[in-house]
Amino acid sequence: MSLSDRKRRILKAIIDEYIENAEPVGSKIIAARGRLDVSPATIRNEMSELEELGYLEQPHISAGRVPSTAGYRLYVNELMQPQQISVSEAEAINRALGSRMRELEKMLREFGRLVSQLTNYTTYTLTTHASSEKVKKFDVFLIEPRTAIAVVVTSSGILKNKRIKLGYPPSENEIFIATRILNMYFTEKTLDEISLSLIKRAASEAGELASLIVDVAEFAGEVLDETREGDVYLDGISRILNHPEYRDPEKAQELLSYLTDKQGIIRHAQEHFSDDVLPGQIRYSIGTENNDLPLKDAGIVYGTYDLGKNLQGVIGIVGPRRMDYAKVAANLNYFITGFNKLLKDSFFTE
Amino acid sequence: MSLSDRKRRILKAIIDEYIENAEPVGSKIIAARGRLDVSPATIRNEMSELEELGYLEQPHISAGRVPSTAGYRLYVNELMQPQQISVSEAEAINRALGSRMRELEKMLREFGRLVSQLTNYTTYTLTTHASSEKVKKFDVFLIEPRTAIAVVVTSSGILKNKRIKLGYPPSENEIFIATRILNMYFTEKTLDEISLSLIKRAASEAGELASLIVDVAEFAGEVLDETREGDVYLDGISRILNHPEYRDPEKAQELLSYLTDKQGIIRHAQEHFSDDVLPGQIRYSIGTENNDLPLKDAGIVYGTYDLGKNLQGVIGIVGPRRMDYAKVAANLNYFITGFNKLLKDSFFTE
DNA sequence: GATTAGCACTCGGGGGACGAGAGTGCTAAA
DNA sequence: TTTAGCACTCTCGTCCCCCGAGTGCTAATC
């Protein structure tokens, strides 16, 4: 059964009001500001029905009403009016998108900070992936007689390096051969395919540099493993304490430690992802829709960006359940659209 | 003028008691638990003198006393009994030190987390530097026809890389030459010495790959600049909210945003560093001894580690002014000693 | 002279009591 | 169907009061 137009307008007015003031909303206020030309009594009746339908909640009997998770859900799906971002916000985002950063990690950090500033909420950015990530290329070179640098490039373009200590000073040619062995044995392999026996076989071809092969191959494994997990960057953590719903240190602490432990964010992303999320689309995950307890009074607005075929990332904005979804969505949408275009245009070749 | 032995014992008892219970300490408690065999009245007299001397403070007239910054200072310098870390703590630290991590960043993160867990306070780790940091070596190689990776190694052993887009697919030989040009022009130069005109001169030698030279040289500048600033990793942020002195969200928020903005930590390290800090030595910075306002009710225990001649780092533990200095110092000391040894033994060659 | 017992005094905090205010639900009238 | 009116409920802030912890001072004691 769908709601009457008047109920919808009342619900929207209540949520708008509550988002702004964080205080239970009474019938009088809606009558005065709701532009509905009905009396508070009528609104009261409607409100009581909206409560029965599960869209509103009453903290206690003599207080106003507060939106429920279902109420917010309806709000973000159908009621709220999409907001335009302001010129200055657009400029800030464009400036960030236009700057010459090219490495993914830096971009993500920078953008997380920017979005957090613009919206005044906490943000996270996360790179996730398909587990089919492989090593695309190895490179090894000497920086000191007994110290080599190994560089690993993954199929989705991630770059990691590691210093490797050597037992003796090898010649340039030996390094060249070792690099070739690495590339022969371990490129185009997933984490599961890099077995111990494969490492042993490769090492046996490398003569004196066997230990180098082992070290680098294990390092490659680590890199793939880390990539599988994904990196998480947080920004604006302290803003959590701005919201009245997190004045209670216990609650704030709970959310904070949930967010700072990257496992939680990764899990959340996975749970809300398995299905049909299109890159560039904005999504909401509100209150009890989140499975993890620390998020049950929080709201998350998130969207994805796409890094070629293997790597997908999430940018999320975390606030109280009563967050300004319209404003946040506008910012995130503008940003993600630009970001995805940027990635497509200039970051990846394929 | 130095304090009588009895005053010192009383002061120590008060601080021990306050550190444990976070409540103003009265004369009766000290008489009962202080093992001094004097009556509360005597203790009252001594306490009132200790207050006149500036070691104690009275929140209000009818409450007990609380240590002042000067009180804590005396405590850490002379009164507290150095603590031994427990066997299990030592084991945890040894295990972390023994693991095969070799890249600095990972070690720092891992150790920050460990120390935060062991002490239940917030930790930060910071790499700082002398501004004489230079590029020691460049390396460039292709991963795709039009994409090169540039690797920069600094004199203190930091390793960074960047993907560089090229206008056309160069030959191996061109890349080799470009690498040589980079190494000729820009190694052993400090940030200030890498001037625009130098970049131009180098680029003019590189023919078609001029843009590569410019990109990499600028990247080297960025790396040196970042190294000058230092990296900061935080752990256990949410633990701030455990301490009763940060129950007030305003105060917690103030400290939190101070810590999450790395500038604050960097400034603090610089201010408390200019002088004579020996690597491996534990230091304290208590309450109003900190210049920055958000730290005025906090305590910091920190120590340094040494990475060759150019790079020095700080590991710090942040808590309320009433923190368990003895315990924290024991942990940090054990860890830093081991860490410095590890760095000397195996991380750097020189 | 140092220590201590005794005592009056101070002050913060906890625990009602109370009233104001906001909001509701219901009833009856329009 | 809407609305005015009204009784009712509940929270919150305030005031008040008392209790208890702790102090400082004085006078007695070691």
PDB file of all heavy atoms in Angstrom, chain A residues 32-44:
ATOM      1  N   ALA A  32       3.136  24.603  11.219  1.00  0.00           N
ATOM      2  CA  ALA A  32       3.600  25.972  10.968  1.00  0.00           C
ATOM      3  C   ALA A  32       4.493  26.026   9.738  1.00  0.00           C
ATOM      4  O   ALA A  32       4.352  26.907   8.891  1.00  0.00           O
ATOM      5  CB  ALA A  32       4.353  26.488  12.184  1.00  0.00           C
ATOM      6  N   ARG A  33       5.416  25.081   9.607  1.00  0.00           N
ATOM      7  CA  ARG A  33       6.420  25.196   8.554  1.00  0.00           C
ATOM      8  C   ARG A  33       6.183  24.282   7.372  1.00  0.00           C
ATOM      9  O   ARG A  33       6.898  24.353   6.388  1.00  0.00           O
ATOM     10  CB  ARG A  33       7.798  24.884   9.148  1.00  0.00           C
ATOM     11  CG  ARG A  33       8.217  25.955  10.102  1.00  0.00           C
ATOM     12  CD  ARG A  33       9.698  25.922  10.330  1.00  0.00           C
ATOM     13  NE  ARG A  33       9.931  26.273  11.736  1.00  0.00           N
ATOM     14  CZ  ARG A  33      10.935  25.838  12.458  1.00  0.00           C
ATOM     15  NH1 ARG A  33      11.815  25.032  11.916  1.00  0.00           N
ATOM     16  NH2 ARG A  33      11.075  26.206  13.711  1.00  0.00           N
ATOM     17  N   GLY A  34       5.241  23.390   7.513  1.00  0.00           N
ATOM     18  CA  GLY A  34       5.114  22.374   6.474  1.00  0.00           C
ATOM     19  C   GLY A  34       4.388  22.834   5.225  1.00  0.00           C
ATOM     20  O   GLY A  34       4.291  22.093   4.270  1.00  0.00           O
ATOM     21  N   ARG A  35       3.856  24.070   5.228  1.00  0.00           N
ATOM     22  CA  ARG A  35       3.148  24.568   4.048  1.00  0.00           C
ATOM     23  C   ARG A  35       2.039  23.606   3.614  1.00  0.00           C
ATOM     24  O   ARG A  35       1.890  23.289   2.441  1.00  0.00           O
ATOM     25  CB  ARG A  35       4.095  24.773   2.863  1.00  0.00           C
ATOM     26  CG  ARG A  35       5.406  25.433   3.209  1.00  0.00           C
ATOM     27  CD  ARG A  35       5.972  26.243   2.079  1.00  0.00           C
ATOM     28  NE  ARG A  35       7.081  27.069   2.544  1.00  0.00           N
ATOM     29  CZ  ARG A  35       6.906  28.161   3.296  1.00  0.00           C
ATOM     30  NH1 ARG A  35       5.694  28.589   3.627  1.00  0.00           N
ATOM     31  NH2 ARG A  35       7.948  28.863   3.696  1.00  0.00           N
ATOM     32  N   LEU A  36       1.271  23.144   4.562  1.00  0.00           N
ATOM     33  CA  LEU A  36       0.237  22.170   4.218  1.00  0.00           C
ATOM     34  C   LEU A  36      -1.169  22.699   4.487  1.00  0.00           C
ATOM     35  O   LEU A  36      -2.160  22.051   4.152  1.00  0.00           O
ATOM     36  CB  LEU A  36       0.439  20.900   5.041  1.00  0.00           C
ATOM     37  CG  LEU A  36       1.644  20.049   4.671  1.00  0.00           C
ATOM     38  CD1 LEU A  36       2.158  19.323   5.882  1.00  0.00           C
ATOM     39  CD2 LEU A  36       1.267  19.077   3.576  1.00  0.00           C
ATOM     40  N   ASP A  37      -1.252  23.832   5.179  1.00  0.00           N
ATOM     41  CA  ASP A  37      -2.557  24.417   5.475  1.00  0.00           C
ATOM     42  C   ASP A  37      -3.527  23.458   6.142  1.00  0.00           C
ATOM     43  O   ASP A  37      -4.704  23.387   5.785  1.00  0.00           O
ATOM     44  CB  ASP A  37      -3.201  24.972   4.185  1.00  0.00           C
ATOM     45  CG  ASP A  37      -2.511  26.253   3.758  1.00  0.00           C
ATOM     46  OD1 ASP A  37      -2.023  26.980   4.653  1.00  0.00           O
ATOM     47  OD2 ASP A  37      -2.432  26.509   2.546  1.00  0.00           O
ATOM     48  N   VAL A  38      -3.015  22.714   7.056  1.00  0.00           N
ATOM     49  CA  VAL A  38      -3.927  21.953   7.910  1.00  0.00           C
ATOM     50  C   VAL A  38      -3.533  22.228   9.359  1.00  0.00           C
ATOM     51  O   VAL A  38      -2.447  22.738   9.629  1.00  0.00           O
ATOM     52  CB  VAL A  38      -3.856  20.434   7.642  1.00  0.00           C
ATOM     53  CG1 VAL A  38      -4.551  20.074   6.348  1.00  0.00           C
ATOM     54  CG2 VAL A  38      -2.411  19.988   7.637  1.00  0.00           C
ATOM     55  N   SER A  39      -4.406  21.871  10.245  1.00  0.00           N
ATOM     56  CA  SER A  39      -4.142  22.182  11.650  1.00  0.00           C
ATOM     57  C   SER A  39      -3.243  21.120  12.266  1.00  0.00           C
ATOM     58  O   SER A  39      -3.123  20.010  11.730  1.00  0.00           O
ATOM     59  CB  SER A  39      -5.446  22.214  12.425  1.00  0.00           C
ATOM     60  OG  SER A  39      -5.872  20.891  12.618  1.00  0.00           O
ATOM     61  N   PRO A  40      -2.622  21.469  13.389  1.00  0.00           N
ATOM     62  CA  PRO A  40      -1.799  20.492  14.095  1.00  0.00           C
ATOM     63  C   PRO A  40      -2.560  19.209  14.387  1.00  0.00           C
ATOM     64  O   PRO A  40      -1.984  18.112  14.308  1.00  0.00           O
ATOM     65  CB  PRO A  40      -1.448  21.211  15.395  1.00  0.00           C
ATOM     66  CG  PRO A  40      -1.533  22.653  15.070  1.00  0.00           C
ATOM     67  CD  PRO A  40      -2.599  22.783  14.013  1.00  0.00           C
ATOM     68  N   ALA A  41      -3.830  19.320  14.697  1.00  0.00           N
ATOM     69  CA  ALA A  41      -4.580  18.116  15.053  1.00  0.00           C
ATOM     70  C   ALA A  41      -4.598  17.114  13.905  1.00  0.00           C
ATOM     71  O   ALA A  41      -4.376  15.912  14.093  1.00  0.00           O
ATOM     72  CB  ALA A  41      -6.002  18.488  15.448  1.00  0.00           C
ATOM     73  N   THR A  42      -4.810  17.623  12.716  1.00  0.00           N
ATOM     74  CA  THR A  42      -4.811  16.740  11.552  1.00  0.00           C
ATOM     75  C   THR A  42      -3.456  16.067  11.403  1.00  0.00           C
ATOM     76  O   THR A  42      -3.347  14.859  11.176  1.00  0.00           O
ATOM     77  CB  THR A  42      -5.100  17.562  10.286  1.00  0.00           C
ATOM     78  OG1 THR A  42      -6.267  18.325  10.522  1.00  0.00           O
ATOM     79  CG2 THR A  42      -5.281  16.658   9.103  1.00  0.00           C
ATOM     80  N   ILE A  43      -2.442  16.889  11.544  1.00  0.00           N
ATOM     81  CA  ILE A  43      -1.094  16.350  11.428  1.00  0.00           C
ATOM     82  C   ILE A  43      -0.856  15.288  12.490  1.00  0.00           C
ATOM     83  O   ILE A  43      -0.238  14.255  12.222  1.00  0.00           O
ATOM     84  CB  ILE A  43      -0.071  17.499  11.561  1.00  0.00           C
ATOM     85  CG1 ILE A  43      -0.359  18.527  10.475  1.00  0.00           C
ATOM     86  CG2 ILE A  43       1.340  16.951  11.520  1.00  0.00           C
ATOM     87  CD1 ILE A  43       0.804  19.172   9.871  1.00  0.00           C
ATOM     88  N   ARG A  44      -1.389  15.558  13.662  1.00  0.00           N
ATOM     89  CA  ARG A  44      -1.233  14.559  14.719  1.00  0.00           C
ATOM     90  C   ARG A  44      -1.814  13.221  14.300  1.00  0.00           C
ATOM     91  O   ARG A  44      -1.207  12.172  14.504  1.00  0.00           O
ATOM     92  CB  ARG A  44      -1.923  15.033  15.997  1.00  0.00           C
ATOM     93  CG  ARG A  44      -1.047  15.901  16.856  1.00  0.00           C
ATOM     94  CD  ARG A  44      -1.474  15.852  18.306  1.00  0.00           C
ATOM     95  NE  ARG A  44      -2.751  16.518  18.538  1.00  0.00           N
ATOM     96  CZ  ARG A  44      -2.912  17.830  18.551  1.00  0.00           C
ATOM     97  NH1 ARG A  44      -1.890  18.631  18.295  1.00  0.00           N
ATOM     98  NH2 ARG A  44      -4.086  18.359  18.789  1.00  0.00           N
TER      99      ARG A  44
END
